[in-house]
């Protein structure tokens, strides 16, 4: 049987996952709301 306490004690998260997490948090991603707001701003400026 699996000893879950032992497995948890040996668990070490992947460094790759941590690096990806940091990259996602720090990224300035444009979403649909940003695009729509920019389009509305451009329409009002014309």
């Amino acid at each position: 049987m699996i000893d879950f306490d032992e497995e948890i004690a040996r668990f070490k998260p992947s460094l790759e996952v941590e690096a990806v997490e940091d990259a996602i948090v720090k990224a300035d991603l444009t979403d649909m709301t940003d695009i729509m707001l920019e389009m509305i701003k451009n329409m009002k400026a014309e």
Side-chain angles (χ1 to χ4, degrees):
M1 263 185 87
I2 297 174
D3 183 358
F4 289 103
D5 291 329
E6 181 182 329
E7 292 295 324
I8 289 173
R10 291 189 300 160
F11 175 77
K12 291 190 175 30
S14 170
L15 294 176
E16 295 168 4
V17 171
E18 290 176 3
V20 169
E21 181 182 62
D22 289 340
I24 291 170
V25 170
K26 292 177 183 175
D28 183 23
L29 301 175
T30 302
D31 62 6
M32 283 303 295
T33 305
D34 296 330
I35 294 169
M36 293 299 290
L37 289 171
E38 188 66 29
M39 289 174 64
I40 292 169
K41 217 188 307 181
N42 289 339
M43 289 174 62
K44 287 181 180 178
E46 292 178 356

